[in-house]
Amino acid sequence: MGNRGMEELIPLVNKLQDAFSSIGQSCHLDLPQIAVVGGQSAGKSSVLENFVGRDFLPRGSGIVTRRPLILQLIFSKTEYAEFLHCKSRKFTDFEEVRQEIEVETDRVTGTNKGISPVPINLRIYSPHVLNLTLIDLPGITKVPVGDQPQDIEYQIKDMILQFISRESSLILAVTPANMDLANSDALKLAKEVDPQGLRTIGVITKLDLMDEGTDARDVLENKLLPLRRGYIGVVNRSQKDIEGKKDIRTALAAERKFFLSHPAYRHIADRMGTPHLQKTLNQQLTNHIRESLPALRSKLQSQLLSLEKEVEEYKNFRPDDPTRKTKALLQMVQQFGVDFEKRIEGSGDQVDTLELSGGARINRIFHERFPFELVKMEFDEKDLRREISYAIKNIHGVRTGLFTPDLAFEAIVKKQVVKLKEPCLKCVDLVIQELISTVRQCTSKLSSYPRLREETERIVTTYIREREGRTKDQILLLIDIEQSYINTNHEDFIGFANCYYTEQLVTGAQQRSTQLNKKRAVPNQVIRRGWLTINNISLMKGGSKEYWFVLTAESLSWYKDEEEKEKKYMLPLDNLKIRDVEKGFMSNKHVFAIFNTEQRNVYKDLRQIELACDSQEDVDSWKASFLRAGVYPEKDQAENEDGAQENTFSMDPQLERQVETIRNLVDSYVAIINKSIRDLMPKTIMHLMINNTKAFIHHELLAYLYSSADQSSLMEESADQAQRRDDMLRMYHALKEALNIIGDISTSTVSTPVPPPVDDTWIQNTSSHSPTPQRRPVSSVHPPGRPPAVRGPTPGPPLIPVPVGPATFSAPPIPSRPGPHPGVFANNDPFSAPPQIPSRPARIPPGIPPGVPSRRPPAAPSRPTIIRPAEPSLLD
């Protein structure tokens, strides 16, 4: 294509893209889009085509571009074009591209000069372009023709502002040389969105069509009506040249010849023409690329530093070195032992903040789950009393007993002690599960060597299972020891130093039991705080809702949030119990319920409140907390088929008194045993299982590994690890290569500084006399019959009220618009004949600074064409 500057940038960008692709990332340069703005037939499409270097846009007189064209240039190895509205078709002939643009424009806007803001999206794939977006916009017009709406001027300006307001847009403000530059709408719009002039470049076209004796030298030298980035003059192909198939290369040669041969431009010929415009825009792209490099470099350097430590280990890596294998085996086994101990004993480094693990989970089993299991086996009152009565009667035999037998007490206590075996063995099983899970978590670091990991897990798990048998035997032995001797002389036993057979025992036992219950917790002590969901609120009242719950020794309260300012309810714990609730079919939460044993409503009209947690572990933890507060789980009530048997002992007052005495004694002694078991269970498991497992890993695991398999097979690297190592080294070298490429681009390219600000207030001054799409002051004169605007602000009269009195300038009033262009009617009516303008005194137009000499040629009254009194001096 015809843009050599762009082609020189392509290898740099491709190098960056290739470097980032090699590390699996994308290089986001986000190059700026270039929008071309100007009046009708100003040469916008020609400027755009010259930048791309291809003929593909429709040409003609009047308004040709009637829909925005968003042109995406995409670097590709093959050259073709495609439209968004017909993606399945690829265009390789650019003459067909032009025809498709014309057909698609007519399809939406019709054939009678209509316009539409709906853009045409065209993509050109080529090996000669950068990934850029170019926008060709409809020309600014003031007078509607054909099917155009009455507010065509405002619609087009609104459309243009949508595209040029983006901060990353470069604005090419195109103005013909044979037009009054001070009234350039393109420059006014650019000034609105770019007041600093940092992204606006003035382009002067049709320099070859200026009247003889006039030139635009002062404008192109940025002396008259200056812009911050100045002006670039171009000479485009005429309609005759296009119809004659004059290619771009020939046109560029003719343009170069024009600037070198013209006496007013030969000294600035190197800063004029399409090649210089391409160079200027390409330099802006280069500046943008260079501005993106520091962020890219920082990103790559941070990734490189994160790989340094691991790469250092692999720099001199030899997979078959036996010395390395031995050293690696020792280090890994030692690290496994350290990790296991840290997970069990706790550590400040590498703390898991997402969930409990290792020792923390075992601690929960010891102090929450196991006590809860003990309480769950709490005996049923009716069954216990019936068993005591049967024991008493069976001990007395055929005789009628006068005293309460000790043997009945011992028989019932031993039966209760045997029930402790199930929760104790369950506790051991739970701890074993956590130990095996911890071992698997610690061996995850051995994944590079699958055989070593497998053998380590097998050996340690086998040892844990061996210790399981010994631990359970020891726990069963503890329970057998408790059964072997009932120590009624224990200091905490309520029968100690009291008489069994006095009425005081019963009363004392009841009082002691009441006191123990009262001492279960400090009244205002907060036992637990946390979020729970009340699950059984009806949908009519908002459905399930989450609250912040606070459990104390006396009550359960819930609040709106954790600030605990807005209390929703407080529920006393008296007569409350817990029961399990099945999880709902569509719910993923775990639920338990609180209810009143006296069949009273717990909350409003609810007999029970269902509380939901995210996991079963949270449910067990809350249950243990309620247990500490004295709220026990519900026991399954077995129905008695023989109702008469329930009353066999209740009918005898003496037997009832004996049952009550033994009942209280059993309760006291079982509490002593539970307290002892709760204390001994964690100690036994820690000593016989956990501590022994830690010692085994530290002192014996390595020997077992050596005896189970040879070293070479244990340290055989997995294919995934070998691939990971290769990928890491490749990533490391790719990152270094990318950094070198960034360094090369930094040294091989040069950023151009932003030009200093210039006094461009002339645009503001002139804009105050021209309508803008954003401000429309109300005028007393309204254009008749104007239809409402399709887009943009509310339609209304032009911003410049029709003058009804003397002009505000010191110069005499001007009957018509000064300085119209050739072929454009002074009264903006294309259907009326051009009027003759009477001669008037020479004056300096408002946009020309005072003191600039006028080079207006003498008026020619005899010419029937429009006189241009101000144009030559404006372009001087």
Side-chain angles (χ1 to χ4, degrees), residues 567-609:
K567 181 183 288 189
K568 295 295 183 180
Y569 196 75
M570 185 179 75
L571 177 65
L573 299 184
D574 298 332
N575 301 320
L576 294 185
K577 279 201 173 184
I578 296 174
R579 65 163 58 117
D580 292 325
V581 178
E582 290 188 6
K583 188 167 63 172
F585 176 70
M586 297 297 291
S587 173
N588 58 354
K589 287 184 175 290
H590 300 263
V591 187
F592 67 99
I594 297 176
F595 68 98
N596 192 301
T597 56
E598 297 182 353
Q599 301 300 315
R600 296 179 179 176
N601 290 344
V602 178
Y603 174 59
K604 296 184 178 180
D605 57 346
L606 299 177
R607 286 297 178 92
Q608 69 176 22
I609 54 173

Side-chain angles (χ1 to χ4, degrees), residues 428-437 464-465 468 689:
V428 175
D429 292 336
L430 291 173
V431 172
I432 287 174
Q433 290 178 11
E434 291 302 331
L435 281 178
I436 293 175
S437 174
I464 291 174
R465 289 299 179 185
E468 174 190 5
M689 185 180 299

Side-chain angles (χ1 to χ4, degrees), residues 210-211 213-215 855-857 868-876:
M210 295 184 70
D211 288 346
T214 62
D215 59 62
R855 294 190 293 177
R856 179 172 52 85
R868 299 177 301 276
E871 179 179 279
S873 59
L874 282 174
L875 296 177
D876 192 355

Side-chain angles (χ1 to χ4, degrees), residues 113-306:
K113 306 297 183 182
I115 66 163
S116 170
V118 180
I120 298 174
N121 290 272
L122 169 63
R123 291 179 178 177
I124 294 181
Y125 297 83
S126 173
H128 308 293
V129 299
L130 286 173
N131 292 338
L132 274 179
T133 301
L134 308 175
I135 303 172
D136 189 18
L137 295 166
I140 302 169
T141 185
K142 297 183 182 299
V143 180
V145 296
D147 292 336
Q148 294 175 358
Q150 293 297 313
D151 61 343
I152 180 69
E153 176 184 3
Y154 304 119
Q155 285 196 29
I156 291 180
K157 288 184 178 180
D158 288 341
M159 189 190 309
I160 292 172
L161 286 173
Q162 284 186 10
F163 288 96
I164 66 175
S165 297
R166 182 181 169 189
E167 286 298 322
S168 59
S169 295
L170 290 177
I171 306 170
L172 297 186
V174 180
T175 307
N178 53 6
M179 169 190 171
D180 184 357
L181 185 64
N183 292 322
S184 170
D185 290 324
L187 291 175
K188 293 174 191 173
L189 289 177
K191 180 70 174 179
E192 284 187 29
V193 298
D194 180 30
Q196 302 298 322
L198 294 175
R199 49 192 182 92
T200 303
I201 299 175
V203 179
I204 305 298
T205 59
K206 301 187 180 181
L207 291 168
D208 54 331
L209 300 182
M210 295 184 70
D211 288 346
E212 186 176 352
T214 62
D215 59 62
R217 173 177 173 175
D218 289 346
V219 172
L220 295 177
E221 289 180 348
N222 212 29
K223 293 179 180 178
L224 184 68
L225 311 178
L227 284 179
R228 187 164 188 172
R229 291 195 178 272
Y231 299 87
I232 298 174
V234 296
V235 176
N236 298 323
R237 292 173 294 171
S238 64
Q239 190 64 32
K240 181 179 178 181
D241 293 335
I242 295 170
E243 292 171 356
K245 303 297 182 183
K246 185 176 183 180
D247 61 14
I248 290 181
R249 183 173 300 178
T250 305
L252 291 178
E255 179 189 53
R256 178 67 175 165
K257 182 179 179 181
F258 170 81
F259 284 111
L260 288 174
S261 60
H262 197 288
Y265 309 134
R266 63 178 58 161
H267 67 291
I268 53 173
D270 57 336
R271 291 186 281 115
M272 294 293 117
T274 299
H276 183 70
L277 177 61
Q278 291 176 345
K279 179 181 177 182
T280 302
L281 293 176
N282 290 332
Q283 184 59 54
Q284 295 304 311
L285 301 180
T286 303
N287 290 350
H288 183 84
I289 293 172
R290 286 179 60 88
E291 289 169 3
S292 304
L293 294 183
L296 297 176
R297 181 187 287 111
S298 177
K299 179 181 178 182
L300 295 178
Q301 285 174 340
S302 63
Q303 290 180 309
L304 192 65
L305 288 174
S306 65

